[in-house]
Amino acid sequence: MSTLFTQARLIDPETGSETPGWLLVRDGVIAATGTGPAPDANETIDCAGHCLAPGIVDLGVKVCEPGERHKESFGSAGAAAAAGGVTTIVTRPDTAPVIDSPEVLEFVTRRGREASAVRIRPMATLTKGREGREMVEIGFLQDAGAVAFTDDARVVENTKVLSRAMTYARSLDALIVGHPQDPGLSAGAVATSGRFASLKGLPAVSPLAERMAFDRDMALVEMTGVKYHADQITTARALPALERAKANGHDVTAGISIHHLTLNELDVGDYRTFFKLRPPLRAEDDRVALVEAVASGLVDVVCSMHTPQDEESKRLPFEEAAAGAVGLQTLLPAALRLVHGGHIALPVLWRALSLNPARRLGLESGRLGTGAPADLVLFDPDAPFVLDRFTLLSKSRNTPFDGARLQGRVHGTWVGGHRVYGEEA
Amino acid sequence: MTFRARHLLGIEDLSPDDIRIILDLADQYADLNRRPRKHSDALAGMTQINMFFENSTRTQSSFELAGKRLGADVMNMAMQASSIKKGETLIDTALTLNAMRPDLLVVRHPHSGAVNLLAEKVTCAVLNAGDGRHEHPTQALLDALTIRRAKGRLHRLTVAICGDIAHSRVARSNILLLGKMENRVRLIGPPTLIPTGAADLGVEVCDDMAEGLKGADVVMMLRLQKERMDGGFIPSEREYYHRYGLDAAKLAHARDDAIVMHPGPMNRGVEIDGTLADDINRSVIQEQVEMGVAVRMAAMDLLARTLRAEREGGTYA
């Protein structure tokens, strides 16, 4: 079985190139690419000059199974992902119950396989019950398919516990994902401190809470030698510390959500809870610095931090409302804002969206090279539209981009050579 | 010059003209309130509901009295004891009340922005009686009226706002109002109680009373909001009183004719010396309470006029 994509604009994050050409898929893997005369195949797809890129690997997605299927299931998350050009969802373990044992992880893996149109790669918690007291069975969980370990927004406060978990993880070459926010300073905060938060009377946290926690984690990385990924670096003042850690040869990477790259604290406006995120949206200077950091490669990964919340948990006063936004389906068009704004080249953006997260997690996907799985997205980067949140396929529609003018339409998504989204799906 | 506002949610939404209109009408009501027959029928036939999600005696009774003097039917809802405890959300409570067709809804809520949220969901006029640390517009207006009556003007004055600025919605509304009316505002307090970014609000910030009070026409003291603090903002009340409590010695740094204000309730001996608070030559604290009723009458009267105009225009369902 072979499929040939012709007339494509091939976006290759590995080489950083953008070339017109064809791509041949045979038996679920990329068999060849080229620019000259195309070979024969069972099926031919005319890309009509649109972009063909590796599918997005979205690191840090909350699928609310087990526990809150009314907010998001593997079925709905998979459908949203496919429609958004995301071919691998890396799930967060902050479900109810949390994913802290091989048994729960097996449930998640099975549900993901049954119900999701795209690949599911689960993360597990770092400590049992996400309580920050005792490390999980890192070895067993790894055998069961956990790609990384994180207590995400609940930061492990006890450095002795964390250093032991890191030391142990090091021996298994396991990746730890940290959430750099000082828990003391950020307790109760719903905004970034500054003029806006003061005027609106919102409890706020200094942007330095991020650097403090990141510095702490870097010291522990130096101590233990563990592989570390910061889920989100969102402030300019944390960037020198990240740069230093990388220069010192530590195995450290960092990510950022697309919302922090395209929105700032002022977007909260009149207490709009769909803009309540964790960490909170930052000042414009921070946003600009972070866009540069993604363009330069200092920040490695751009993700959606997809966090479904039902209407009820958002229809509350700002302080009481739940934090987080959905993003699986809007990640691609929102990220293209950076391209259209002239801040970043498309292949460079794609490193952060697919190649870097895949590499970080040891996945084969995220590239267009021969032998890579045929996880692909075909999209028109220019097609304009106004987002209506009720057209989203997620069960929860808490997107800050409701009513926003966006550009970029997905025409097709393939996972392992099978079409999961688009006309012939 | 007409007042067209639909709600009174914050000083932020008011223009200097809006403020003048409210204060001018409030002046008239202040006179009315000093007469034996303190009655008007500006709100006759209208229903006013006071929804207080936070305990309040002063503000609630002031609103209640204001409504009654204008002839409205006034209902007080003690929200702490009501359906909130049964799990009803703020929006549902608001919709339920709205279905009873009140004309004016007076709301106090412990969270910033909660009153704005509520105002989006109801068809009546909403008055913010204080939301979290955000705004308390009628307090700023009554302070403005008190200042205007005592000083003869509401511009080019130096106003020192002292104490717990960070937790104070009164301070935020006053900073906005005094700024809009072109006054010079100084915030004085320990740095832990000054909000970050305060210097960007168009005010001067000072952590020393003697220095900050220099040349002040108005000294506005704020209550130390112990209930909003999660600990550790000041070392002790006695050290706070020593450094920031207003007494005659500190007041001597202000202008000789400076007036002393306090939104109440006061912590005597914590932020203000008891004798000074009672000094009728300097303190206008009692007058603030009096003007509170007048300002609230004016604000409700004006919102009711908007409401009536809307209904006559046929836009009110």
Side-chain angles (χ1 to χ4, degrees):
Chain A
M1 177 64 197
S2 58
T3 310
L4 179 72
F5 295 83
T6 61
Q7 305 285 330
R9 214 169 119 197
L10 299 171
I11 309 296
D12 186 349
E14 238 173 344
T15 58
S17 65
E18 194 179 333
T19 41
W22 51 264
L23 182 144
L24 180 70
V25 172
R26 187 174 292 127
D27 300 328
V29 298
I30 296 168
T33 54
T35 51
D40 288 331
N42 304 99
E43 181 196 17
T44 303
I45 290 164
D46 183 356
C47 298
H50 295 324
C51 295
L52 187 66
I56 295 170
V57 177
D58 196 356
L59 206 173
V61 171
K62 171 91 178 268
V63 176
C64 308
E65 274 191 71
E68 293 177 304
R69 263 177 80 177
H70 68 286
K71 290 187 177 178
E72 193 81 290
S73 67
F74 280 104
S76 61
V86 175
T87 51
T88 301
I89 293 177
V90 183
T91 59
R92 301 210 306 257
D94 54 337
T95 45
V98 297
I99 301 161
D100 64 350
S101 69
E103 291 76 13
V104 184
L105 192 80
E106 270 166 32
F107 165 82
V108 168
T109 314
R110 181 170 53 76
R111 281 287 302 145
R113 214 171 28 233
E114 283 168 8
S116 166
V118 306
R119 299 180 201 272
I120 302 290
R121 294 292 192 150
M123 295 193 280
T125 62
L126 182 59
T127 66
K128 288 174 187 160
R130 270 174 98 217
E131 285 170 354
R133 284 203 289 270
E134 212 181 332
M135 73 178 95
V136 294
E137 294 168 320
I138 297 176
F140 280 159
L141 281 159
Q142 240 181 349
D143 294 345
V147 291
F149 297 84
T150 181
D151 279 1
D152 52 62
R154 201 177 292 170
V155 178
V156 179
E157 290 187 47
N158 185 326
T159 43
K160 196 166 257 179
V161 171
L162 186 54
S163 70
R164 283 186 189 139
M166 283 177 161
T167 306
Y168 192 85
R170 165 83 175 87
S171 72
L172 292 163
D173 201 28
L175 175 69
I176 285 186
V177 176
H179 177 74
Q181 281 302 311
D182 182 77
L185 278 179
S186 56
V190 298
T192 303
S193 61
R195 183 181 184 274
F196 179 77
S198 287
L199 261 181
K200 292 289 172 187
L202 293 172
V205 59
S206 163
L208 283 168
E210 183 172 290
R211 191 182 84 194
M212 280 174 65
F214 186 72
D215 279 340
R216 178 198 79 160
D217 286 2
M218 285 312 96
L220 288 163
V221 165
E222 195 176 330
M223 217 168 102
T224 61
V226 75
K227 283 201 307 201
Y228 178 96
H229 175 75
D231 65 350
Q232 297 183 75
I233 291 290
T234 59
T235 60
R237 278 184 279 188
L239 291 174
L242 175 62
E243 205 168 4
R244 212 161 41 237
K246 287 187 169 187
N248 289 343
H250 298 307
D251 193 353
V252 170
T253 51
I256 182 169
S257 91
I258 190 60
H259 301 119
H260 289 88
L261 286 175
T262 51
L263 306 168
N264 68 29
E265 57 184 349
L266 302 181
D267 286 302
V268 169
D270 203 8
Y271 303 99
R272 295 193 288 173
T273 56
F274 280 9
F275 293 80
K276 180 174 175 180
L277 304 175
R278 184 178 294 124
L281 285 170
R282 307 300 194 183
E284 177 63 4
D285 290 349
D286 286 316
R287 189 192 71 80
V288 170
L290 264 297
V291 170
E292 275 170 26
V294 171
S296 75
L298 176 58
V299 167
D300 310 84
V301 172
V302 172
C303 61
S304 72
M305 268 303 145
H306 183 81
T307 305
Q309 299 290 2
D310 54 24
E311 300 287 305
E312 293 317 314
S313 45
K314 284 287 188 184
R315 284 181 45 171
L316 292 169
F318 198 82
E319 282 175 61
E320 291 173 51
V326 292
L328 277 170
Q329 218 172 326
T330 46
L331 174 56
L332 183 146
L336 286 173
R337 274 190 176 178
L338 306 177
V339 176
H340 293 303
H343 305 296
I344 190 167
L346 198 46
V348 176
L349 173 68
W350 234 262
R351 276 184 198 152
L353 287 173
S354 69
L355 180 67
N356 290 345
R359 274 192 181 155
R360 194 56 174 148
L361 299 167
L363 309 178
E364 277 294 294
S365 59
R367 54 200 187 91
L368 290 186
T370 307
D375 292 0
L376 299 165
V377 54
L378 176 66
F379 64 97
D380 174 356
D382 302 316
F385 66 101
V386 175
L387 183 76
D388 170 3
R389 69 186 182 105
F390 293 104
T391 62
L392 295 178
L393 300 175
S394 281
K395 285 190 180 180
S396 299
R397 274 77 180 258
N398 53 307
T399 172
F401 294 116
D402 187 35
R405 289 155 200 264
L406 295 165
Q407 272 178 281
R409 190 172 282 285
V410 175
H411 285 290
T413 307
W414 289 261
V415 174
H418 294 286
R419 191 160 195 162
V420 294
Y421 179 77
E423 288 129 47
E424 292 143 61
Chain B
M1 270 191 346
T2 28
F3 186 87
R4 291 181 204 282
R6 185 77 178 64
H7 306 292
L8 180 59
L9 301 178
I11 299 296
E12 195 184 358
D13 313 319
L14 299 180
S15 68
D17 278 343
D18 289 335
I19 293 167
R20 267 179 225 116
I21 292 171
I22 298 174
L23 297 185
D24 289 348
L25 184 61
D27 252 333
Q28 295 176 29
Y29 280 124
D31 295 340
L32 177 78
N33 286 339
R34 286 183 182 178
R35 288 186 213 142
R37 275 187 65 85
K38 307 170 176 53
H39 238 280
S40 144
D41 53 7
L43 297 184
M46 289 194 157
T47 306
Q48 171 193 342
I49 299 182
N50 295 334
M51 263 171 107
F52 279 64
F53 292 88
E54 231 180 29
N55 282 328
S56 158
T57 317
R58 309 162 65 90
T59 307
Q60 187 173 330
S61 48
S62 180
F63 268 109
E64 184 178 353
L65 201 54
K68 285 182 170 162
R69 285 190 181 161
L70 293 179
D73 297 314
V74 185
M75 181 169 84
N76 287 318
M77 306 258 314
M79 299 313 297
Q80 311 235 301
S82 83
S83 44
I84 295 297
K85 294 266 186 262
K86 298 177 196 157
E88 192 175 58
T89 66
L90 174 66
I91 291 177
D92 286 330
T93 308
L95 290 177
T96 305
L97 282 179
N98 191 53
M100 298 179 194
R101 300 209 161 234
D103 302 282
L104 296 151
L105 204 52
V106 178
V107 188
R108 169 170 285 190
H109 196 280
H111 288 144
S112 304
V115 184
N116 301 52
L117 177 68
L118 202 143
E120 284 170 22
K121 310 287 175 186
V122 298
T123 47
C124 57
V126 176
L127 286 102
N128 182 1
D131 63 322
R133 313 168 179 185
H134 178 220
E135 282 230 43
H136 190 354
T138 55
Q139 178 70 44
L141 288 163
L142 76 88
D143 288 341
L145 183 62
T146 310
I147 294 170
R148 199 172 78 168
R149 286 168 75 104
K151 291 280 154 200
R153 67 176 200 273
L154 188 59
H155 58 274
R156 290 195 211 157
L157 293 168
T158 301
V159 182
I161 306 179
C162 316
D164 183 1
I165 318 278
H167 298 96
S168 175
R169 51 195 173 214
V170 176
R172 277 170 186 73
S173 287
N174 265 311
I175 291 167
L176 291 170
L177 189 150
L178 293 166
K180 283 181 195 231
M181 304 314 280
E182 297 177 15
N183 295 284
R184 190 168 169 181
V185 177
R186 272 189 216 140
L187 306 182
I188 313 172
T192 46
L193 294 177
I194 301 281
T196 44
D200 301 331
L201 301 177
V203 298
E204 298 162 34
V205 178
C206 188
D207 59 16
D208 179 76
M209 283 288 269
E211 192 189 320
L213 289 180
K214 223 165 271 170
D217 298 289
V218 177
V219 182
M220 207 178 265
M221 299 306 297
L222 295 174
R223 188 169 63 87
L224 203 56
Q225 305 224 22
K226 288 178 258 181
E227 73 279 9
R228 283 183 203 281
M229 296 188 181
D230 47 14
F233 286 86
I234 52 164
S236 71
E237 286 183 3
R238 61 180 191 178
E239 179 162 325
Y240 181 79
Y241 182 69
H242 176 70
R243 299 192 61 205
Y244 297 100
L246 188 69
D247 54 22
K250 292 199 190 81
L251 185 60
H253 294 280
R255 285 173 59 106
D256 293 339
D257 59 351
I259 54 169
V260 175
M261 307 178 75
H262 194 297
M266 279 183 283
N267 298 310
R268 284 171 190 262
V270 178
E271 69 251 352
I272 190 162
D273 172 59
T275 324
L276 188 59
D278 298 332
D279 179 356
I280 51 162
N281 294 317
R282 305 306 292 270
S283 161
V284 293
I285 295 171
Q286 295 307 316
E287 184 164 12
Q288 284 176 276
V289 179
E290 185 189 348
M291 291 308 124
V293 180
V295 151
R296 287 169 182 127
M297 287 167 82
M300 290 198 290
D301 182 358
L302 289 166
L303 290 176
R305 289 181 202 181
T306 310
L307 214 53
R308 275 196 214 97
E310 246 180 50
R311 287 172 186 176
E312 278 156 23
T315 52
Y316 187 79

